[in-house]
């Protein structure tokens, strides 16, 4: 009796341990935690124009759409982690007064992941696509890049948290490359204009910029497969993000540039091929084989 | 109704930006107080400006916009609790600004055009380098502050032209205005921004700027600074009625402090067809056209009255800036947000009748609590000493609880 009980407890502990590990080693869990804290900070301290009904609508729509698509596209299992990341990013960036548009954007965001695909990869970062498409189609949706304020402390905090996330997601190269290119462009512009250093520093001290850099462009599912490809991609996006505000004098340069150059990723993958990314989970650490389906 | 206008603030500028697509009409008002011959402004503009693109506006237009959009005090009179009904009366707050754009500027190279418009002599310059520009300005009798060179150089490289205006004393005395009228410039450019950097080198502290944006789409906000709403909607002690201007100024000071002087404040956002309560009537179609609302041309008045919309949305932004906290020019974006917003503060006059009924007794009992609440709101908003406020309101130091314990109320019949 005793022995049997011991074994069964041991087994149960082991299965709990393995499922715990599978969450702990999954970078998405960290991303969800970080984005959630950002959202809470934004709503309670920065007085974002986010209503809780909007945030809830986004998250419910996202999860439901993912569920429906899981059934329709016959995925082996329902996984809420990736859609939650898209949903939380949407909560942070999307602004509109229409609850209907909030829901529609959330729906399109997830649907794009399942439908706009090329050779097994989705083309756009879902959040990026959802927002950009709705800005194009309606004049009732916008992004408020200035609302984050430039509190140095806040910037520092997200940078640290974001850094953690990126390291875990093991595709930090694209983020570092983008940061390098984009900051160089800003510094280069300032030195050409004879502007004080204060100006380019002010330009990057924006929470929206950090969210973009650490949570959107780093999306391992849409970036090129090879390191060289990712560095090239980072350069293109940085150049685009620079041209939009400083040459074309339009807003949301980061979002437009990412959406536009995402279209070039299949081409980059063709000329600079590499290994396809899969989310690391406990199985990798436990040495088990696993088949990852490239959705999510 | 009382209103707090822009004249309360020193060194304040007022700018009206009318914009639809890339078409822009900018009106700059200045409450320059010195001798007219001392007045000069240098404004970076994104394009060449022809004579026909410049116009001199009536100062009353800006005063009206200011009055219409100013924070307002609304008085409510409590009804007789024995025979309830509501009346209220609204008072606009006084307007709050003057234009501190006045500075001696000096530019440098190609004089692209010279015009005399109204009481102003206007020069449009383009330059190759800041050194030449500075020299030109100095030689032409403009005093330019130290540090202007770098900023001018930056604007030159960004392909900005310079719009320089001085008072033509002969025209000025012929026209007989005792003040300088606002200058209007119409141009087409994708740049939706306001150059403020030259204003930050006048080292004497900060500058105050009021920006009224009239557009079609909805609220306008800054993309490179936080746009924060002014606290609004609270009831205040009655004595504020006589100190409303002071209240608005002090509250604004407090908000600026709270945001580390790094934010732009939203003071008003409204569809120009109406207001509630009105600090001043909305601008008439004629006034709107004069301030530069070009899309109203060709629309018959009856169209707008039947349709109910003159299709103008106003956003009033208020910013206090200096070079340290506002290193970059202000960059704006239109949003699809058409939600109304106003700075509105309530004064609730208690009912003073003698009717007696149960409701009246209850009513009188809750008044001290309400006053205490108003005192606390004010103290929190202004950082003032609560006891000083209580004293002014003539209420007790601590709200009286009429001696009863809280539980005595629970099961009371």
């Amino acid at each position: 009796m005793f022995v049997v009980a011991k074994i069964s407890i041991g087994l149960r502990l082991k299965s709990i341990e393995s499922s715990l590990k599978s969450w702990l080693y999954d970078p998405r869990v960290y991303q969800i935690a970080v984005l959630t804290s950002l959202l809470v900070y934004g709503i309670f301290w920065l007085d974002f124009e986010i209503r809780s009904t909007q945030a809830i609508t986004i998250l419910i729509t996202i999860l439901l759409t993912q569920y429906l698509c899981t059934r329709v596209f016959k995925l082996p299992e329902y996984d809420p982690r990736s859609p939650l990341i898209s949903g939380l990013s949407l909560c942070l960036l999307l602004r509109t007064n229409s609850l209907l548009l909030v829901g529609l954007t959330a729906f399109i965001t997830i649907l794009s992941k399942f439908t706009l695909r090329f050779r097994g990869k989705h083309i756009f970062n879902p959040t990026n696509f959802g927002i950009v498409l709705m800005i194009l189609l309606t004049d009732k949706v916008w992004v408020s890049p200035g609302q984050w304020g430039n509190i140095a402390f806040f910037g520092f905090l997200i940078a640290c948290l974001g850094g953690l996330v990126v390291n875990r997601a093991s595709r930090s190269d694209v983020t570092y490359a983008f940061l390098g290119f984009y900051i160089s462009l800003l510094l280069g512009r300032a030195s050409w204009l004879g502007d004080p250093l204060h100006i380019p520093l002010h330009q990057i001290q924006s929470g929206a910029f950090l969210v973009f850099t650490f949570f959107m462009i780093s999306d391992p599912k849409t970036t090129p497969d090879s390191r060289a490809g990712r560095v090239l991609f980072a350069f293109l996006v940085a150049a685009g993000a620079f041209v939009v505000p400083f040459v074309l004098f339009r807003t949301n340069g980061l979002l437009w540039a990412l959406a536009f150059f995402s279209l070039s990723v299949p081409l980059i993958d063709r000329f600079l091929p590499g290994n396809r990314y899969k989310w690391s989970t406990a199985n990798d650490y436990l040495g088990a084989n696993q088949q990852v389906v490239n959705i999510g | 109704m009382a209103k707090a206008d822009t004249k309360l603030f020193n060194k304040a500028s007022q700018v009206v930006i009318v914009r639809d697509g890339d078409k822009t009409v900018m009106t700059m008002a200045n409450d320059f107080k010195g001798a007219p011959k001392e007045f000069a402004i240098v404004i970076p503009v994104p394009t060449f400006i022809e004579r026909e693109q410049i116009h001199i506006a009536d100062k009353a237009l800006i005063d009206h916009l200011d009055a219409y959009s100013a924070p307002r005090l609304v008085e409510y009179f409590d009804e007789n609790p024995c025979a309830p009904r509501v009346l209220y009366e609204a008072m606009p707050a006084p307007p709050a600004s003057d234009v501190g754009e006045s500075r001696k500027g000096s530019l440098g190279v190609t004089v692209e055009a010279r015009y005399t418009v109204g009481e102003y002599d206007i020069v449009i310059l383009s330059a190759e380098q800041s050194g030449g520009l500075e020299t030109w300005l100095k030689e032409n009798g403009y005093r330019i502050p130290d540090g202007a060179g770098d900023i001018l150089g930056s604007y030159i490289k960004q392909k900005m032209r310079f719009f320089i205006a001085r008072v033509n004393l002969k025209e000025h005395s012929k026209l007989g205005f005792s003040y300088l009228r606002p200058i209007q410039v119409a141009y087409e450019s994708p740049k939706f921004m306001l150059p403020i950097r030259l204003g930050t080198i006048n080292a004497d502290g900060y500058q105050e700027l009021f920006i009224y944006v009239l557009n079609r789409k909805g609220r306008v906000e800054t993309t490179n600074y936080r746009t924060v709403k002014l606290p609004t909607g609270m009831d205040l002690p009655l004595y504020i009625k006589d100190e409303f201007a002071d209240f608005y100024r002090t509250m604004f000071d407090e908000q600026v402090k709270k945001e580390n002087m790094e934010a732009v404040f939203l003071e008003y956002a409204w569809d120009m067809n109406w207001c509630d309560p009105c600090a001043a009537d909305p601008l008439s179609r004629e006034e709107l056209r004069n301030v530069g609302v070009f899309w109203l041309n060709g629309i018959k008045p009856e169209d707008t009255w039947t349709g109910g919309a003159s299709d103008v949305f106003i956003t009033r932004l208020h910013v206090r800036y200096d070079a340290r906290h506002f290193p970059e020019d202000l960059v704006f974006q239109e949003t699809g947000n058409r939600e109304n917003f106003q700075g509105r503060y309530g004064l609730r006059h208690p009912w003073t009748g003698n009717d007696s009924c149960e409701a009246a007794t209850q009513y009188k009992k809750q008044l001290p609590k309400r006053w205490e609440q108003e005192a606390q709101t004010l103290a929190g908003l202004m950082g003032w000493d609560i006891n000083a406020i209580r004293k002014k309101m003539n209420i007790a130091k601590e709200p009286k609880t009429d001696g009863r314990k809280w539980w005595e109320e629970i099961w009371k019949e």
Side-chain angles (χ1 to χ4, degrees):
Chain A
M1 284 294 272
F2 253 69
V3 178
V4 173
K6 229 177 182 173
I7 290 173
S8 103
I9 289 171
L11 278 178
R12 208 176 299 155
L13 277 177
K14 190 149 194 192
S15 86
I16 291 173
E17 188 191 342
S18 101
S19 77
L20 251 179
K21 265 193 179 159
S22 95
W23 281 78
L24 281 178
Y25 285 113
D26 185 342
R28 288 171 293 181
V29 176
Y30 287 87
Q31 294 189 331
I32 291 168
V34 170
L35 290 172
T36 308
S37 344
L38 282 181
L39 189 61
V40 170
Y41 181 84
I43 293 176
F44 291 102
W45 279 272
L46 291 179
D47 186 27
F48 278 7
E49 301 250 340
I50 308 172
R51 286 175 202 94
S52 43
T53 47
Q54 290 198 355
I56 291 166
T57 308
I58 289 176
L59 296 178
I60 289 179
T61 313
I62 290 269
L63 292 174
L64 274 180
T65 313
Q66 175 78 17
Y67 178 76
L68 284 178
C69 288
T70 305
R71 302 296 294 267
V72 171
F73 293 88
K74 301 201 166 48
L75 293 203
E77 60 174 334
Y78 175 66
D79 184 345
R81 283 171 285 190
S82 287
L84 262 180
I85 292 172
S86 306
L88 289 164
S89 305
L90 263 191
C91 291
L92 287 166
L93 295 171
L94 179 75
R95 297 287 174 277
T96 175
N97 287 335
S98 152
L99 214 51
L100 186 72
L101 287 179
V102 165
L104 191 61
T105 312
F107 177 71
I108 289 173
T109 295
I110 296 301
L111 196 66
S112 80
K113 219 166 56 161
F114 288 86
T115 50
L116 301 174
R117 303 176 67 82
F118 184 77
R119 293 178 53 203
K121 264 166 94 169
H122 50 87
I123 299 171
F124 297 100
N125 168 276
T127 312
N128 185 227
F129 180 79
I131 294 176
V132 161
L133 186 77
M134 294 311 274
I135 291 179
L136 278 176
L137 294 183
T138 77
D139 59 357
K140 304 257 184 295
V141 170
W142 67 97
V143 174
S144 292
Q147 283 319 83
W148 297 77
N150 295 308
I151 306 163
F153 164 72
F154 183 42
F156 180 62
L157 191 68
I158 326 185
C160 295
L161 297 173
L164 179 75
V165 170
V166 173
N167 284 330
R168 286 247 161 203
S170 77
R171 283 235 166 151
S172 25
D173 49 6
V174 70
T175 292
Y176 291 130
F178 173 76
L179 273 175
F181 288 129
Y182 189 66
I183 292 176
S184 305
L185 284 168
L186 292 180
L187 289 175
R189 175 178 183 269
S191 97
W192 177 65
L193 291 175
D195 284 346
L197 196 61
H198 200 164
I199 290 188
L201 286 181
H202 179 255
Q203 284 160 344
I204 51 170
Q205 275 173 36
S206 136
F209 167 71
L210 292 172
V211 168
F212 177 85
T213 309
F214 289 98
F215 298 91
M216 287 179 85
I217 191 175
S218 59
D219 177 357
K221 289 303 202 175
T222 51
T223 43
D225 293 334
S226 68
R227 171 156 292 179
R230 289 195 293 272
V231 172
L232 175 64
F233 178 68
F235 172 75
L236 292 173
V237 175
F242 178 82
V243 164
V244 172
F246 298 118
V247 179
L248 305 175
F249 309 107
R250 305 293 174 190
T251 49
N252 301 323
L254 298 166
L255 297 177
W256 292 117
L258 180 59
F260 184 76
F261 286 111
S262 292
L263 291 167
S264 72
V265 171
L267 206 65
I268 294 176
D269 276 343
R270 182 160 174 189
F271 291 106
L272 299 165
N275 293 329
R276 185 63 50 86
Y277 185 82
K278 60 186 174 68
W279 291 109
S280 57
T281 60
N283 288 343
D284 302 342
Y285 297 89
L286 301 172
N289 279 331
Q290 65 160 8
Q291 187 67 41
V292 171
V293 177
N294 265 313
I295 280 182
Chain B
M1 178 151 89
K3 63 179 163 52
D5 67 21
T6 54
K7 293 187 185 71
L8 304 169
F9 295 90
N10 292 324
K11 291 181 298 183
S13 316
Q14 296 185 82
V15 175
V16 185
I17 302 173
V18 176
R19 189 169 164 102
D20 184 36
D22 287 348
K23 292 182 186 144
T24 309
V25 180
M26 195 182 280
T27 307
M28 293 153 288
N30 202 308
D31 81 329
F32 180 72
K33 302 220 168 64
K37 72 175 165 70
E38 296 287 318
F39 172 83
I41 51 171
V42 178
I43 307 158
V45 285
T47 62
F48 176 69
I49 307 286
E50 291 182 28
R51 166 69 186 81
E52 288 69 31
Q53 288 173 265
I54 306 169
H55 183 254
I56 306 300
D58 190 348
K59 178 93 168 67
L61 279 178
I62 307 230
D63 292 343
H64 191 174
L65 261 183
D66 180 9
Y68 170 73
S69 58
R72 60 216 62 202
L73 198 55
V74 187
E75 294 188 82
Y76 301 89
F77 295 88
D78 285 354
E79 67 237 43
N80 181 342
C82 304
R85 182 160 9 118
V86 191
L87 325 163
Y88 78 83
E89 195 180 290
M91 356 205 326
S97 85
D98 8 339
V99 182
E101 207 91 29
S102 62
R103 66 184 68 91
K104 292 288 168 182
S106 42
L107 313 194
V109 173
T110 318
V111 176
E112 298 197 322
R114 283 176 194 277
Y115 316 115
T116 300
V117 187
E119 62 266 50
Y120 298 101
D121 281 333
I122 289 160
V123 180
I124 310 293
L125 287 182
S126 64
E128 301 285 315
Q129 26 177 306
S130 59
L133 187 54
E134 272 189 277
T135 314
W136 189 95
L137 288 169
K138 280 182 182 148
E139 282 173 359
N140 283 273
Y142 293 90
R143 288 191 305 253
I144 51 165
D146 295 338
D150 287 347
I151 299 177
L152 293 174
S154 178
Y155 285 130
I156 291 170
K157 288 196 171 138
Q158 292 175 63
K159 303 257 182 295
M160 302 282 267
R161 305 298 215 294
F162 296 89
F163 180 103
I164 304 171
R166 270 207 288 204
V167 177
N168 181 317
L169 295 172
K170 226 165 87 188
E171 293 296 321
H172 183 61
S173 59
K174 207 156 72 184
L175 288 162
F177 288 104
S178 57
Y179 52 88
L180 296 173
R181 292 179 298 164
I183 302 176
Q184 294 185 293
V185 185
Y187 59 86
E188 195 162 345
S189 165
K191 293 185 187 178
F192 189 11
M193 50 87 81
L194 200 61
I196 58 168
R197 290 182 63 197
L198 284 171
T200 59
I201 47 176
N202 289 346
D204 49 346
Y206 57 78
Q207 302 272 319
E208 199 95 20
L209 176 65
F210 291 84
I211 305 152
Y212 311 88
V213 186
L214 306 183
N215 66 342
R216 300 172 95 155
K217 195 171 165 186
R219 255 187 229 183
V220 168
E221 63 184 23
T222 39
T223 60
N224 53 349
Y225 298 98
R226 233 156 97 63
T227 309
V228 177
K229 286 190 213 134
L230 205 65
T232 182
M234 48 279 281
D235 287 340
L236 301 174
L238 289 176
Y239 78 85
I240 287 298
K241 184 174 180 178
D242 301 323
E243 301 178 11
F244 187 47
D246 191 34
F247 161 79
Y248 171 39
R249 197 172 38 218
T250 313
M251 180 189 59
F252 189 75
D253 290 347
E254 280 298 306
Q255 294 308 308
V256 167
K257 232 185 282 168
K258 201 178 131 206
E259 294 290 338
N260 301 314
M261 203 170 158
E262 284 170 348
V264 174
F265 291 88
L266 177 73
E267 293 193 332
Y268 197 68
W270 213 274
D271 182 317
M272 253 289 190
N273 283 301
W274 62 297
C275 38
D276 179 26
C278 293
D281 288 337
L283 269 68
S284 69
R285 290 175 52 81
E286 193 54 34
E287 285 174 303
L288 285 173
R289 243 194 321 244
N290 285 336
V291 87
V293 183
F294 50 87
W295 57 90
L296 289 184
N297 292 347
I299 301 175
K300 288 179 230 119
E302 56 267 27
D303 296 345
T304 59
W305 291 122
T306 51
S310 70
D311 202 13
V312 181
F313 194 90
I314 180 174
T315 306
R316 167 171 159 145
L317 300 170
H318 183 178
V319 53
R320 182 172 292 172
Y321 65 95
D322 62 18
R324 196 160 81 82
H325 300 93
F326 284 82
E328 279 187 278
D329 288 332
L330 303 177
V331 181
F332 304 104
Q333 75 169 359
E334 292 180 291
T335 74
N337 191 354
R338 293 188 70 89
E339 257 182 11
N340 294 325
F341 173 83
Q342 62 183 342
R344 178 180 153 284
Y345 311 91
L347 296 183
R348 303 181 69 87
H349 292 273
W351 169 74
T352 49
N354 297 319
D355 297 14
S356 64
C357 60
E358 176 60 15
T361 321
Q362 287 299 326
Y363 169 83
K364 287 195 168 145
K365 226 163 70 184
Q366 55 84 36
L367 277 179
K369 212 186 266 172
R370 181 169 106 188
W371 291 330
E372 173 63 18
Q373 185 58 48
E374 290 169 358
Q376 285 183 9
T377 303
L378 189 64
L381 214 47
M382 316 289 275
W384 285 345
D385 174 24
I386 181 103
N387 285 323
I389 296 172
R390 288 186 184 128
K391 203 169 155 196
K392 268 191 139 167
M393 290 172 75
N394 216 1
I395 59 172
K397 271 217 162 142
E398 291 299 330
K400 270 202 226 123
T401 52
D402 70 9
R404 288 193 204 210
K405 303 284 188 249
W406 62 271
W407 55 83
E408 291 176 43
E409 296 289 321
I410 306 178
W411 296 285
K412 212 181 92 191
E413 287 299 313

